[in-house]
Amino acid sequence: MIRAAVMTEPNAPIEIRAFPPPVLEPCAVLLKTLASEVCGTDVHLWHGRLSGVPYPIIPGHVSVGEVLETGGEVLDMNGRPVEPGDRVTFLDVHETCHRCYYCLVAKASTRCPHRKVYGITYSASEGLLGGWSEQIYLKPGVQVIPMSARVDPELWIAGGCGLPTALHAIDRAEIRLGDRVLIQGAGPVGLNACALANASGAGWVGVIDAVPQRLEAARKMGADQCFTLTASLLSDVRTATGGRGADIVIEASGRPEAVAQGCDMARDHARYVVVGQYTDNGSVEINPHTAINRKHLEIRGCWGSDMSHFWRAMEVIDRFHDRFDWRQVISQRYTLDQINDALADVEARRVVKAVILPNG
Ligand SMILES: [Zn+2]
Ligand SMILES: [Zn+2]
């Protein structure tokens, strides 16, 4: 039997359950899980703050595994056969249809209504479809990405799902060389955005967070200046950005009030990317005249990630892991039996990144 951690319903302790070994369909892949993570979304899932989640679920969306078995020939993203013993990761988003209006006309495949996500929108009754499990079943058609030889499982999880998410936000931000970039929030998405803004040629990167330990991590990810949530925050940011405000602002905090502040901290004709409001944390008052219209402000939302973000995330962490200290983001490692501690530690922000090692 295969052990997996099951979130039976919101706000209940996670249970370890045993599942029978899966029988592989043609083109499926079975992985022995090498590493997975607890991300902020898992805490939201635990609090029941995401709609349409088919509890009970096996959480864990971004994961790394070693191939145990394939259902006949399966090709990876390079077109090479996937073989037992290979170390791979996979795009947790599956069943994007590439046939609907959003996929084809709007070119917004992360809004495809057919997409499913490992660890979030599959029920435990459908199989080992989450990373908090000794084994992960990759359904036919799941996109398999070979691990770079220089990227070990823990390094990839140190980037975690925050890396492709931040990469998407950085794409949306369209940073120009020399731009002054301000990032709100130094959680996993904000820390990754900090490194990627630097890699994109920003002239200055500022990061805001309430937790000093997170700002320390931001410095190791390339932040030039860090700000805490003080009464003088707005004027401090203005001072650091020539009195004008930032050229680019990226919201990665999850706090609705940060969006109103972000509009104020952006310069006229800045671009503002909102990526941190993944769950509904409520509304906020904004003066549309001063904050948006007169300011000529460009505001862009950013939802999820697709294969292009995932693929390039591997390229980026391979290229830049000597320059930015991703590994420091890992605060703690946990086995399946310690999963409730891991969830509680991420919830309480005692750790930035909890790595799950289902096979010890
Ligand atoms: Zn679609
Ligand atoms: Zn996540």
Side-chain angles (χ1 to χ4, degrees), residues 97-100 103 112 114:
C97 77
H98 303 295
R99 296 177 58 138
C100 74
C103 284
C112 173
H114 305 289

